[in-house]
Amino acid sequence: LIRPQFIPPFWEWGYWLFPLHYVLEGLFTSQFQGDNTAIVASYGSPFFSAVCPDVGPGDPIPSNCTGTAEEWIYVSFGGMWVPENIPFDILYLCGAIVVARVMVLIGLMKKNYLAA
């Protein structure tokens, strides 16, 4: 899974168009919303920089350098995946289903099964 902040600009249209983005965003943000499970930050990761901003290179890592699962989702996806997007995710997925069904219906109406 490529995180949205690392997608090259040319491929951003695919990120916003394909339904899997909306499925994963909805699942992750709803699953980890309010989740206070402690996650230990790995040195050098963006999550480490967010939860331990005062630790520099060569400094000892404090034992309390942890964050929550909710914070990890927020930091890992560049602040773009937030619970406020869930209604939009649902709306997009419902729209994608309707568009797919209409396309299938049009295709079936145009197909002549009797023609050889």
Side-chain angles (χ1 to χ4, degrees):
L1 177 67
I2 298 176
R3 296 178 180 161
Q5 64 269 32
F6 300 127
I7 296 175
F10 176 76
W11 293 109
E12 284 183 9
W13 63 269
Y15 172 76
W16 293 108
L17 180 67
F18 296 132
L20 185 60
H21 151 234
Y22 299 95
V23 170
L24 293 177
E25 179 181 22
L27 285 174
F28 283 19
T29 56
S30 65
Q31 180 67 32
F32 296 111
Q33 181 180 8
D35 188 348
N36 294 322
T37 303
I39 296 179
V40 178
S42 299
Y43 185 77
S45 69
F47 185 59
F48 182 86
S49 301
V51 296
C52 301
D54 300 329
V55 178
D59 293 343
I61 298 173
S63 61
N64 64 345
C65 190
T66 60
T68 65
E70 184 176 24
E71 292 171 333
W72 184 85
I73 292 292
Y74 185 82
V75 171
S76 294
F77 294 98
M80 296 176 69
W81 285 18
V82 291
E84 292 80 20
N85 291 347
I86 292 174
F88 300 111
D89 297 334
I90 294 170
L91 183 65
Y92 180 89
L93 291 170
C94 289
I97 290 170
V98 168
V99 167
R101 292 292 184 167
V102 167
M103 289 173 59
V104 167
L105 180 64
I106 292 170
L108 289 173
M109 288 180 1
K110 298 243 181 232
K111 177 67 177 163
N112 184 358
Y113 290 102
L114 298 178

